[in-house]
Amino acid sequence: MAFINQDFRIKDTQDKHPRLRWLLFATGCAVLGVVIASTNTGTDNLDTENLIADELNSESLPVFTENELSPATAARLSFELTLPELQAQQEIIDDLNNETPKQWREFKVKSGDNLAKLFDRAGIKPQQLDEMMKLGKDTEQLTRIYPKDTLRVLTDDDKNLLGLRYEIDHETYLMVERKDGVLEADTFKHDIETRSTHASGVIDSSLFLAGQEAGISQNLIMELAGVFGWDIDFALDIRKGDRFTVIYEEIFRNGEKIKDGNILTAEFINQGKTYQAVRYTNPENNRSEYFTPDGKSMRKAFLRSPVNFTRISSGFTTSRYHPVLHKFRSHKGVDYAAKRGTPILASGDGKVIFKGIKGGYGRTVIIQHGSKYSTLYAHLNGYQRNLRVGSKVKQGQTIAYLGSSGLATGPHLHYEFRVNGVHRNPLTVKLPISNPVPQRYLADFELTTAPILAQLGLLTRTQVALNN
Ligand SMILES: [Zn+2]
């Protein structure tokens, strides 16, 4: 998502402290990770300790420069680095406490690794690898190990393999055990449970910090911004006093929270305007999407063509002969030929982020749609009166008039469509669909979303009462 690079801070807030705070927090987490790694792994686990230290060295330290690191990035990195590490450490501690003391060792898969190399590092006899791989389907999983995967092995004093544990995914794990001298393998399912919880926040300086104060993860904040991203520009529209309430799932594994699940419903009040979204799964195709409480899609659609054109004078190519520049260039848009002065329409709801002369493009308008999409309109004859940078536009609204300003041989609209900053062919790009809940499912939609929307209403009323 494009707003990954935004740090969600209100533009006019001159506040360096959150940046510093997050830097300190991130560094603190990294240090904590090292301390835990070195205190809780016995002498047997030097390997693990080195690997964790290596990872901290190679990944986290270069980014701990204040100038480069946004608070969002700092927090994201610190969470990514430390939480899984802490959990892994905790599991080792649990194993150490509950199972066979001091013998389980953890090995992290490095790039270029294979099982033979890992067994070699663990000092286990190669024949025992063969023995294990002959166990069939269960251990076949081990031929597809990836860097950062973790293998835990248990050996006796003669380095015979007694046990091996591998997390296949967050729901399943492989367990190999030697019983009466014979290796056995089995795949087990963790006890996965989904619970719903809620959080509310009021924005003081940034959505990100408000989310942190509300106790929700960086990922969930990004999700929340994604749900409302078509209506609210999280880089520019956020104001002090904006508030949100979100009901979301948490995924527990064996009673311990491992990650957030989906947002079920949420409300965001931006500059006094209330937006609500609810997740609904279409019973027909099993696809989940966010809708307004009356069943309209939260995502907005695009017009395939932003102008009533007479012909397409030039298509999207990676190389073509430029009639004015007389050289080969790629053409990362579509040219629509039409009469000078033909109205040009915004192809989707969005916000004007550029209006003016842009080199060979002549008079140009760029519109941002949600967090992922932007459209560009060039060679314009003139702009719609009142159109400004920052103006919100509706799909189909006239934004400008067709012309031949800049490097153009004749009147045409040069139109570009970008997804995450990358040019895509406007004629063929898969446009986001924004169909409302189908008529035949409206009753089901209302029935299934009513309880959670009622809960959201209760929470937001309570929040308002608490804050007044
Ligand atoms: Zn063009």
Side-chain angles (χ1 to χ4, degrees), residues 320 331 335 412 414:
R320 71 150 186 171
H331 186 242
D335 291 346
H412 73 278
H414 171 89

